[in-house]
Amino acid sequence: MFLALKEIKHEKMRYGLIVFMIFLIAYMILATSGLAYGLARENTVALEGWQTKSVVLNKNANLFMNSSILTKDDLKKIDLTDKEAVVGELQVVAKKKGKTGINAQYMGVKKGEFIYKDQDVIAGRRAKSKYEVTADSSFKDKGYKLGDKVTLNGSDHKYTIVGFVRDAKINIEPIMYGFLPAWKELKNVAPGIEASGIISQRKLSVKGKNFKTYGIKEFTQKLPGLSEQNLTFELMIAFMFIISLAIVAVFLYILTIQKLPNYAVLRAQGVPAKTLIWATVSQSLLLVTSALVLALLAIWGTAAAIPASVPMAFTPGIFLATIGGMLVMALLGGLNPVRTILKIDPVQAIGG
């Protein structure tokens, strides 16, 4: 470590540039990971808030709640408890005169059930009548206010926004909570149709002629575009780790080649090869650690500064995976020139 620190102190510009390059890679990995998690979370944040374990849908809906319908007879065959909530989902365009329309998911619920009672209201109140709604806070960010009256899919009736709620998104679209009678009217369903599906906080296994139960993992994997989106980001992050390994390895190899005469002198003076190897590895770890600290500070500033509409979010796992992955890359990169160091011939390297 002593040799590594002395050399870095002596060659500030050279090692400063290396730290800057690694910092950029670490920052990109963190930013990409944060955006990937943020986008994935916006697909499922409402389901997580409901503590969903199972979803009951029509067998022919292809796990797409918007396309699912459950009848009165279907509901009679399911033993509903306080852990279940009957919902009606419909994709809508919410629009107020003079404002830009917003693509949203209208979620019809029942007053006595947990989805209604557990809404995390941050302004206003929960809806109480058929033509009242509570909307995700992103509506507020886009200029909508309490008391605004909006049309849904050009409906004849206007719906009053009486509250804003936190973390009400599904499939990246904001949710508007209303009631099942309004959902039936908006969807124009046939008599006897009661809901789109059932959200359960239990692991259900009910099955009928027209409906089937799905676990939350199976249901979320079928959300449009979610699997493809996650796979894309995972591949991007993997490529970044490979690039970081290549950059660290190349820079350290070049530096080692440049320092061969110095290492040869040290070997001739009796300095063990393991000391030189440790100096190279510790130097690599020190450079990457410095770059990681800068990247963490930079991403913290970025997350605080970006608009709320940009879905960037982090978990301890993201930070630990990035830090651990980069340090492993540093270790592998530092070990890359080991063979060169071990094969140094002091007499030949010095020019004897």
Side-chain angles (χ1 to χ4, degrees):
M1 184 67 79
F2 173 76
L3 287 174
L5 289 170
K6 290 288 286 183
E7 189 173 1
I8 290 171
K9 188 175 179 182
H10 186 261
E11 297 284 353
K12 296 183 183 69
M13 178 63 74
R14 177 189 295 177
Y15 289 104
L17 289 172
I18 294 173
V19 168
F20 181 68
M21 289 293 296
I22 299 171
F23 155 77
L24 289 178
I25 293 171
Y27 178 82
M28 284 192 295
I29 291 173
L30 284 169
T32 306
S33 300
L35 288 170
Y37 176 70
L39 280 170
R41 186 171 179 271
E42 289 210 338
N43 277 282
T44 60
V45 65
L47 293 165
E48 292 170 9
W50 301 336
Q51 300 176 40
T52 309
K53 296 287 194 306
S54 308
V55 181
V56 181
L57 299 174
N58 186 286
K59 277 183 177 179
N60 300 314
N62 195 28
L63 278 90
F64 190 43
M65 193 180 292
N66 263 313
S67 302
S68 174
I69 53 171
L70 297 180
T71 66
K72 269 185 182 179
D73 290 337
D74 293 332
L75 296 182
K76 286 178 182 177
K77 295 172 184 176
I78 303 170
D79 183 21
L80 299 177
T81 70
D82 60 356
K83 296 292 185 182
E84 280 76 51
V86 179
V87 298
E89 185 182 11
L90 175 67
Q91 189 166 30
V92 296
V93 177
K95 185 170 177 57
K96 181 190 175 184
K97 189 175 181 180
K99 290 188 181 294
T100 304
I102 298 177
N103 291 325
Q105 296 287 341
Y106 184 89
M107 196 70 67
V109 298
K110 289 184 176 181
K111 273 188 181 179
E113 296 179 340
F114 69 84
I115 291 181
Y116 176 81
K117 294 188 288 187
D118 293 346
Q119 291 176 40
D120 189 3
V121 180
I122 58 174
R125 59 173 174 81
R126 287 182 296 224
K128 293 180 180 178
S129 64
K130 182 177 178 180
Y131 297 115
E132 290 183 343
V133 293
T134 52
D136 179 69
S137 57
S138 58
F139 273 80
K140 189 177 180 182
D141 298 334
K142 293 179 180 178
Y144 284 76
K145 300 175 183 177
L146 293 176
D148 280 353
K149 295 183 183 296
V150 299
T151 59
L152 303 180
N153 291 350
S155 57
D156 295 331
H157 291 282
K158 290 189 176 180
Y159 293 76
T160 305
I161 298 176
V162 297
F164 292 108
V165 292
R166 183 186 287 111
D167 290 339
K169 284 190 175 73
I170 189 167
N171 202 25
I172 314 183
E173 291 186 336
I175 288 173
M176 302 185 83
Y177 289 110
F179 297 107
L180 282 168
W183 169 79
K184 293 178 187 179
E185 187 176 292
L186 286 166
K187 196 173 178 71
N188 194 26
V189 297
I193 302 300
E194 290 296 312
S196 296
I198 298 169
I199 303 296
S200 178
Q201 296 177 330
R202 300 183 296 160
K203 289 186 177 180
L204 291 179
S205 58
V206 296
K207 186 187 287 188
K209 181 180 178 182
N210 299 315
F211 60 87
K212 185 179 177 182
T213 305
Y214 303 92
I216 185 60
K217 187 174 180 181
E218 184 179 6
F219 177 72
T220 53
Q221 283 178 341
K222 279 286 189 175
L223 288 173
L226 180 60
S227 298
E228 294 82 356
Q229 168 195 298
N230 288 343
L231 179 60
T232 300
F233 277 113
E234 286 166 6
L235 288 173
M236 287 173 62
I237 293 166
F239 285 137
M240 287 182 190
F241 272 118
I242 294 170
I243 291 168
S244 70
L245 172 60
I247 289 176
V248 173
V250 168
F251 272 115
L252 289 175
Y253 184 77
I254 292 171
L255 289 173
T256 302
I257 296 300
Q258 291 175 340
K259 293 183 293 186
L260 280 180
N262 298 334
Y263 283 160
V265 171
L266 291 171
R267 289 294 304 277
Q269 292 175 341
V271 176
K274 66 179 182 180
T275 301
L276 301 180
I277 292 169
W278 171 240
T280 303
V281 172
S282 61
Q283 188 178 76
S284 173
L285 291 171
L286 191 60
L287 294 174
V288 171
T289 301
S290 301
L292 278 170
V293 171
L294 293 174
L296 288 170
L297 291 173
I299 205 69
W300 176 81
T302 302
I306 61 174
S309 58
V310 179
M312 181 178 281
F314 297 95
T315 63
I318 289 175
F319 291 117
L320 290 174
T322 303
I323 291 169
M326 291 296 290
L327 289 176
V328 169
M329 296 298 102
L331 184 60
L332 293 174
L335 291 172
N336 181 56
V338 165
R339 189 176 178 184
T340 304
I341 294 171
L342 290 174
K343 291 174 66 177
I344 290 175
D345 182 349
V347 176
Q348 193 175 42
I350 294 171

